[in-house]
Structure formats: C-alpha cells, structure tokens
C-alpha cells in the first residue's frame, strides 16, 4: 500500500473529522495516510482545543528564536523519510518543510496552508523561503482560491495546485440548529442564567490575533449606551482576563471552549457574531447558522473570510471600539440583516474530495 504522511504543528479538535474522513477516503484507493504533529505551544494550548487522537504520532518540538525570527525544530523526518510522499506546512520557519524539500528526490513532497501571507506581516526571509517552497514542491494544497492564485503567480505550475476550500465538519451543527426550537432555547437561557438579551456571540480563541482588547473596549462603550445587549463568549485563551470587567457587571457570560449543542444554541439565539480580529473558519459556522459576522478592517484576516459577502453575511468597520460597537448595535437592531442559513458554504466532504484528488496528483 502507498504511504503518505502529513506533518502538522499540532492537531486542534476541528481537524480530527477532516483527517479521519481523508484517511478513509484514501484507504479505499490503496493509500495509507499517517499524521505526525508536535504539541501546541503556550498560546495554542491556552485555547483548549488541542487533541491527541489514537492515529496521531505526536512528537516534542523545540522553538528557537534568533534575530527576531523563530522556528520550530522537530525530528519528524524519521517517520516519513521512507514513505512515498509527505505533505508539510507551507511555513518558512518549518524545519520539516526545509528538510523535506531540500531532499525531495527521495520522495514526493507537497506543501499546504494559507500559501499567501494573510495573518501577519510577512518576514522578508520567510517570504523568500516560502516562495522557494512553492517552486520546489511537487504539489501545493491551498486553503482558498486566492492562495492558489498566489502560488501560480509565484511560479508554481497551475497543474500542481489544488484549492481545497478549507472547512470544518458542520453536519452536527446543522442538525443541532434544526432541532433547537423556542422552548429548547429558553431552557438553554435558564440553564446558563442568561438575561433576556438581545444576544451577540463571540466564538473562538481569546488571544492577540482576535483583538480581544478591541472587543473589551467596545463592551465599555456598549455598557454606557446599550447595556441590554448581552455577549455570550464561547472560547478561552491568554487574553480572557480582558473581558472580566464585562463579566463582573453582568454584560458578558463566559462559556469556555464550546462545541456541540452548546455552540449551536449560542449561534441560534444570537443576532450577530462579534469578532474584531482574525476571521477564519468562523465564517463557515456563520454561514451554516445564518448569523452575520461583525468584524473590523483588520489587515490580518485568514483567507476563509473570502467565504463571506460584505453587506450580507459580513459587516466591517474601522478598528476602533466606538465604530465596532456602533456596527454591532446597527446589526442587532436591523432585522433585515438577520439572514437565513446560506444555501451554499464550504463543506468538509468537499474539502476531503479536493484534498484526496490533490494527493493522487502528488503521487502520480
């Protein structure tokens, strides 16, 4: 059986369904997929979403910093060096990517990820290395069309680029949303001791990338002008303490890391999703639930924000507490902006099909 490995920095819970579905799909065509990953770093661990499923090979890495740059040094090569192919992160700081691509005559090498620089100002050295990775790789797996276009513009052969349409498994979320009626939502409100609302959701990590500081500032503005708007926060992270004043005055309820029926209930009873910082796969949840996202003109959104349509499922404002708060109020009070669930959105099933197709091209 053909063997291919995927190397990951760490495995968050939302990736488990993807890898398990991809493994099953490939196994049916004679390909054995193996996954090796490091452990989450401190900020990742504080999100509370790291998992270690039984099929995962987990290794300890060491993060080294020098001259303003950092790299994670791992020793995963011993696992995949005898395989038919390996797919490594498209990261200039990835030692595994450099190791695989520098000796790729021994096996086929793919890279996957955002491909373009979305979530941070690109480091010039990293940019040079990442462009070299794109030209050197046997196949490229880009999260979204813009990433695929970037790879081609950087010199990659278009025939070696697959757009995977990055997604999460929303099957259960959709089922849970469909089953939540008025009585169930009222029971959820009583169980969690929520006030009458209206409600605004926050879902995701509470760290610097999400601009929790800006959210905290907007909550101050809203408390003075619209104290009845209540925030349900589903997430955790190193910046959670910034929301403690809002919790103390009864303006916000902290739910910790959420999933399943709790996540569905939060979305179902909310008139908007507030996320002033990076918007990524949250876009998929928003489309499934039909809840608009209020965010800011933040230059470091993940590519999945492309799934949303500004003025319909996405409302962007200036990255200032007053502007962000005003837009939240506008969306909450505008009933015509509370749309139905989108008929089309990226699905995990389509992502698995796209990725499997790219793997077969890589192995060919």
């Amino acid at each position: 059986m053909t063997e291919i490995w995927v190397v990951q920095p760490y495995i968050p819970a939302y990736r488990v369904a993807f890898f398990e579905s991809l493994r099953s799909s490939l196994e049916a065509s004679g390909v054995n997929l193996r996954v090796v990953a490091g452990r989450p770093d401190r900020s990742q661990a504080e999100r509370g979403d790291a998992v270690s499923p039984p099929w995962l090979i987990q290794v300890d890495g060491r993060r080294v910093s020098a001259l303003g740059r950092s790299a994670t040094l791992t020793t995963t090569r011993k696992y995949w060096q005898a395989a038919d192919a390996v797919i490594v992160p498209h990261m200039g700081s990835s030692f595994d990517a450099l190791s695989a691509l520098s000796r790729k005559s021994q096996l086929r090498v793919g890279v996957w990820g955002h491909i373009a620089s979305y979530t941070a100002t690109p480091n010039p050295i990293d940019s040079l290395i990442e462009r070299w990775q794109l030209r050197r790789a046997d196949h490229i797996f880009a999260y979204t069309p813009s990433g695929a276009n970037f790879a081609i513009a950087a010199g990659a052969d278009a025939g070696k680029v697959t757009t995977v349409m990055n997604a999460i498994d929303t099957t259960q979320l959709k089922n849970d949303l469909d089953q939540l009626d008025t009585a169930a939502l009222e029971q959820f409100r009583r169980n969690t001791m929520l006030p009458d609302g209206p409600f605004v959701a926050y879902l995701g990590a509470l760290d610097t990338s999400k601009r929790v500081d800006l959210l905290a500032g907007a909550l101050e503005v809203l408390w003075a002008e619209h104290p009845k708007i209540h925030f349900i926060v589903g997430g955790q992270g190193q910046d959670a303490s910034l929301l403690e004043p809002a919790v103390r005055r009864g303006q916000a309820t902290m739910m910790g890391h959420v999933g399943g029926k709790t996540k569905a209930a939060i979305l179902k009873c909310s008139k908007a999703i507030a996320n002033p910082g990076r918007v990524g796969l949250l876009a998929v949840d928003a489309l499934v639930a039909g809840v608009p996202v209020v965010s800011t003109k933040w230059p470091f959104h993940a590519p999945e924000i492309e799934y949303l349509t500004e003025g319909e499922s996405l409302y962007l404002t200036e990255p200032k507490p007053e502007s962000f708060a005003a837009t939240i109020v506008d969306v909450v009070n505008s009933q015509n902006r509370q749309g139905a669930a989108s008929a089309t959105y990226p699905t995990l099933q389509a992502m698995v099909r796209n990725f499997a197709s790219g793997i077969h091209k890589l192995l060919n």
Side-chain angles (χ1 to χ4, degrees):
M1 180 175 277
T2 303
E3 184 173 272
I4 182 169
W5 285 74
V6 175
V7 180
Q8 287 281 268
Y10 86 106
I11 301 293
Y14 68 82
R15 279 290 184 228
V16 172
F18 164 69
F19 281 120
E20 290 182 345
S21 297
L22 183 61
R23 292 176 78 229
S24 297
S25 174
L26 292 172
E27 186 176 16
S29 58
V31 178
N32 181 28
L33 175 70
R34 306 290 303 278
V35 183
V36 58
R39 302 183 189 278
D41 61 26
R42 180 178 177 182
S43 63
Q44 292 166 340
E46 290 184 355
R47 297 174 185 173
D49 66 348
V51 294
S52 181
W55 41 259
L56 174 67
I57 301 295
Q58 196 166 47
V59 299
D60 291 316
R62 185 165 60 93
R63 196 145 186 96
V64 182
S65 299
L67 300 177
R69 300 179 69 248
S70 62
T72 299
L73 304 182
T74 59
T75 57
T76 68
R77 185 176 181 85
K78 68 178 182 180
Y79 296 102
W80 45 259
Q81 63 183 348
D84 297 283
V86 62
I87 300 174
V88 292
H90 179 239
M91 297 168 56
S93 60
S94 170
F95 184 78
D96 286 317
L98 294 172
S99 175
L101 289 165
S102 65
R103 307 182 195 178
K104 79 180 189 72
S105 60
Q106 300 172 22
L107 78 169
R108 307 288 287 177
V109 181
V111 297
W112 83 306
H114 291 166
I115 304 305
S117 293
Y118 295 93
T119 60
T121 302
N123 180 292
I125 298 176
D126 281 345
S127 293
L128 288 174
I129 296 173
E130 288 167 4
R131 286 175 177 268
W132 170 80
Q133 290 174 350
L134 295 176
R135 294 189 296 269
R136 180 78 171 164
D138 294 302
H139 204 82
I140 297 159
F141 300 81
Y143 280 2
T144 62
S146 65
N149 292 336
F150 179 89
I152 295 168
D157 184 334
K160 296 182 178 181
V161 180
T162 293
T163 303
V164 301
M165 296 302 288
N166 193 32
I168 51 178
D169 188 5
T170 56
T171 304
Q172 189 60 51
L173 174 62
K174 187 176 186 308
N175 290 339
D176 290 338
L177 288 166
D178 290 342
Q179 293 173 14
L180 283 167
D181 56 16
T182 302
L185 288 178
E186 177 59 23
Q187 185 63 48
F188 168 74
R189 190 185 70 79
R190 288 198 302 267
N191 290 346
T192 51
M193 295 182 290
L194 294 172
D196 290 334
F199 300 111
V200 173
Y202 176 94
L203 296 172
L206 292 168
D207 55 29
T208 305
S209 70
K210 299 296 186 177
R211 291 302 308 273
V212 183
D213 59 332
L214 201 157
L215 176 62
L219 285 166
E220 295 279 357
V221 175
L222 289 169
W223 183 248
E225 301 176 2
H226 301 276
K228 290 187 178 181
I229 297 178
H230 192 81
F231 283 71
I232 312 173
V233 181
Q236 59 192 60
Q238 57 189 7
D239 286 349
S241 61
L242 296 177
L243 302 182
E244 287 180 359
V247 174
R248 286 195 296 269
R249 59 181 175 249
Q251 185 186 17
T253 298
M254 305 291 285
M255 304 288 289
H257 180 69
V258 297
K261 294 184 183 299
T262 300
K263 179 179 176 181
I266 293 173
L267 286 167
K268 188 84 170 183
C269 68
S270 296
K271 292 183 174 293
I273 302 170
N275 191 330
R278 181 188 304 168
V279 173
L281 283 168
L282 172 69
V284 179
D285 285 335
L287 290 172
V288 174
V291 183
V293 175
V294 180
S295 190
T296 64
K297 298 172 184 177
W298 173 244
F300 302 124
H301 288 299
E304 294 84 3
I305 197 172
E306 300 166 19
Y307 301 159
L308 302 175
T309 302
E310 191 166 358
E312 295 180 8
S313 52
L314 174 68
Y315 295 89
L316 295 175
T317 185
E318 294 301 318
K320 300 176 181 178
E322 296 78 12
S323 301
F324 189 56
T327 303
I328 288 173
V329 172
D330 187 27
V331 173
V332 166
N333 290 338
S334 300
Q335 293 301 316
N336 63 323
R337 291 186 177 181
Q338 313 306 315
S342 175
T344 59
Y345 49 84
T347 65
L348 182 72
Q349 293 78 9
M351 181 186 179
V352 169
R353 287 195 299 270
N354 295 336
F355 213 102
S357 174
I359 284 177
H360 289 300
K361 292 176 181 179
L362 169 64
L363 293 170
N364 187 356

